[in-house]
Short mmCIF file of all heavy atoms in Angstrom, two decimals:
data_model
loop_
_atom_site.label_atom_id
_atom_site.label_comp_id
_atom_site.label_asym_id
_atom_site.label_seq_id
_atom_site.Cartn_x
_atom_site.Cartn_y
_atom_site.Cartn_z
N SER O 85 -3.53 7.26 14.19
CA SER O 85 -2.92 5.98 14.55
C SER O 85 -1.81 5.61 13.57
O SER O 85 -0.75 5.09 13.97
CB SER O 85 -4.01 4.88 14.55
OG SER O 85 -3.44 3.62 14.82
N ARG O 86 -2.04 5.90 12.29
CA ARG O 86 -1.02 5.60 11.27
C ARG O 86 0.24 6.44 11.51
O ARG O 86 1.36 5.94 11.39
CB ARG O 86 -1.59 5.88 9.88
CG ARG O 86 -0.61 5.63 8.75
CD ARG O 86 -1.30 5.68 7.40
NE ARG O 86 -1.93 6.96 7.16
CZ ARG O 86 -1.27 8.04 6.70
NH1 ARG O 86 0.02 7.96 6.47
NH2 ARG O 86 -1.91 9.16 6.48
N LEU O 87 0.06 7.71 11.86
CA LEU O 87 1.21 8.58 12.11
C LEU O 87 1.97 8.15 13.37
O LEU O 87 3.20 8.23 13.42
CB LEU O 87 0.77 10.03 12.23
CG LEU O 87 0.19 10.68 10.96
CD1 LEU O 87 -0.09 12.16 11.20
CD2 LEU O 87 1.13 10.49 9.78
N ALA O 88 1.23 7.69 14.39
CA ALA O 88 1.88 7.21 15.61
C ALA O 88 2.73 5.98 15.32
O ALA O 88 3.84 5.84 15.84
CB ALA O 88 0.83 6.90 16.67
N THR O 89 2.22 5.09 14.47
CA THR O 89 2.99 3.91 14.07
C THR O 89 4.23 4.32 13.29
O THR O 89 5.32 3.76 13.49
CB THR O 89 2.12 2.98 13.20
OG1 THR O 89 0.99 2.54 13.96
CG2 THR O 89 2.91 1.76 12.75
N SER O 90 4.08 5.32 12.43
CA SER O 90 5.22 5.81 11.64
C SER O 90 6.29 6.41 12.54
O SER O 90 7.49 6.23 12.31
CB SER O 90 4.75 6.86 10.63
OG SER O 90 3.83 6.30 9.70
N LYS O 91 5.87 7.11 13.58
CA LYS O 91 6.83 7.70 14.52
C LYS O 91 7.62 6.60 15.23
O LYS O 91 8.85 6.72 15.42
CB LYS O 91 6.12 8.59 15.53
CG LYS O 91 7.07 9.26 16.51
CD LYS O 91 6.32 10.16 17.49
CE LYS O 91 7.28 10.79 18.50
NZ LYS O 91 6.59 11.67 19.46
N ALA O 92 6.94 5.53 15.62
CA ALA O 92 7.62 4.41 16.28
C ALA O 92 8.63 3.77 15.33
O ALA O 92 9.75 3.41 15.74
CB ALA O 92 6.60 3.38 16.75
N GLN O 93 8.26 3.63 14.05
CA GLN O 93 9.19 3.09 13.05
C GLN O 93 10.40 4.00 12.90
O GLN O 93 11.54 3.53 12.78
CB GLN O 93 8.48 2.95 11.70
CG GLN O 93 7.57 1.75 11.58
CD GLN O 93 6.98 1.64 10.19
OE1 GLN O 93 6.27 2.53 9.72
NE2 GLN O 93 7.29 0.57 9.50
N LEU O 94 10.16 5.30 12.89
CA LEU O 94 11.24 6.27 12.72
C LEU O 94 12.21 6.21 13.89
O LEU O 94 13.43 6.28 13.71
CB LEU O 94 10.64 7.68 12.60
CG LEU O 94 11.54 8.79 12.05
CD1 LEU O 94 12.08 8.43 10.67
CD2 LEU O 94 10.77 10.09 11.97
N GLN O 95 11.68 6.06 15.09
CA GLN O 95 12.55 5.93 16.27
C GLN O 95 13.36 4.65 16.20
O GLN O 95 14.53 4.61 16.62
CB GLN O 95 11.69 5.97 17.54
CG GLN O 95 11.06 7.34 17.80
CD GLN O 95 10.04 7.34 18.92
OE1 GLN O 95 9.42 6.31 19.19
NE2 GLN O 95 9.86 8.47 19.57
N SER O 96 12.75 3.58 15.66
CA SER O 96 13.47 2.32 15.49
C SER O 96 14.61 2.49 14.48
O SER O 96 15.72 1.98 14.68
CB SER O 96 12.51 1.22 15.02
OG SER O 96 13.21 0.03 14.70
N VAL O 97 14.33 3.22 13.39
CA VAL O 97 15.36 3.49 12.39
C VAL O 97 16.54 4.23 13.02
O VAL O 97 17.71 3.91 12.77
CB VAL O 97 14.78 4.30 11.21
CG1 VAL O 97 15.90 4.86 10.33
CG2 VAL O 97 13.85 3.44 10.38
N GLN O 98 16.24 5.24 13.84
CA GLN O 98 17.31 6.02 14.47
C GLN O 98 18.20 5.14 15.34
O GLN O 98 19.44 5.25 15.30
CB GLN O 98 16.72 7.15 15.31
CG GLN O 98 17.77 8.07 15.91
CD GLN O 98 17.17 9.30 16.56
OE1 GLN O 98 16.05 9.25 17.06
NE2 GLN O 98 17.89 10.40 16.54
N MET O 99 17.60 4.24 16.13
CA MET O 99 18.39 3.36 16.98
C MET O 99 19.26 2.43 16.14
O MET O 99 20.43 2.20 16.46
CB MET O 99 17.47 2.55 17.90
CG MET O 99 16.83 3.37 19.02
SD MET O 99 15.95 2.37 20.25
CE MET O 99 14.57 1.75 19.25
N GLN O 100 18.69 1.89 15.07
CA GLN O 100 19.44 0.98 14.21
C GLN O 100 20.57 1.69 13.47
O GLN O 100 21.67 1.14 13.30
CB GLN O 100 18.50 0.32 13.20
CG GLN O 100 17.49 -0.64 13.81
CD GLN O 100 16.57 -1.24 12.77
OE1 GLN O 100 16.96 -2.14 12.03
NE2 GLN O 100 15.35 -0.73 12.67
N VAL O 101 20.32 2.92 13.03
CA VAL O 101 21.35 3.70 12.32
C VAL O 101 22.50 4.01 13.27
O VAL O 101 23.68 3.83 12.92
CB VAL O 101 20.75 5.00 11.75
CG1 VAL O 101 21.86 5.95 11.32
CG2 VAL O 101 19.84 4.70 10.57
N ASN O 102 22.19 4.47 14.48
CA ASN O 102 23.25 4.77 15.45
C ASN O 102 24.05 3.52 15.81
O ASN O 102 25.27 3.58 16.00
CB ASN O 102 22.65 5.40 16.70
CG ASN O 102 22.17 6.83 16.46
OD1 ASN O 102 22.64 7.51 15.57
ND2 ASN O 102 21.21 7.27 17.26
N GLU O 103 23.35 2.39 15.91
CA GLU O 103 24.04 1.13 16.20
C GLU O 103 24.97 0.75 15.06
O GLU O 103 26.10 0.30 15.28
CB GLU O 103 23.02 0.01 16.43
CG GLU O 103 23.66 -1.32 16.79
CD GLU O 103 22.62 -2.42 17.01
OE1 GLU O 103 21.42 -2.13 16.91
OE2 GLU O 103 23.04 -3.56 17.28
N ALA O 104 24.51 0.97 13.82
CA ALA O 104 25.34 0.64 12.65
C ALA O 104 26.61 1.48 12.61
O ALA O 104 27.71 0.98 12.32
CB ALA O 104 24.53 0.84 11.37
N PHE O 105 26.47 2.77 12.93
CA PHE O 105 27.65 3.64 12.95
C PHE O 105 28.59 3.26 14.10
O PHE O 105 29.81 3.37 13.97
CB PHE O 105 27.23 5.10 13.06
CG PHE O 105 26.88 5.74 11.74
CD1 PHE O 105 25.56 6.05 11.44
CD2 PHE O 105 27.86 6.01 10.80
CE1 PHE O 105 25.23 6.63 10.22
CE2 PHE O 105 27.54 6.59 9.58
CZ PHE O 105 26.22 6.90 9.28
#
Side-chain angles (χ1 to χ4, degrees):
S85 177
R86 179 170 59 83
L87 294 185
T89 299
S90 298
K91 181 179 178 180
Q93 282 184 299
L94 196 57
Q95 291 171 333
S96 173
V97 167
Q98 184 171 30
M99 288 189 293
Q100 292 179 77
V101 167
N102 288 336
E103 182 180 358
F105 276 109

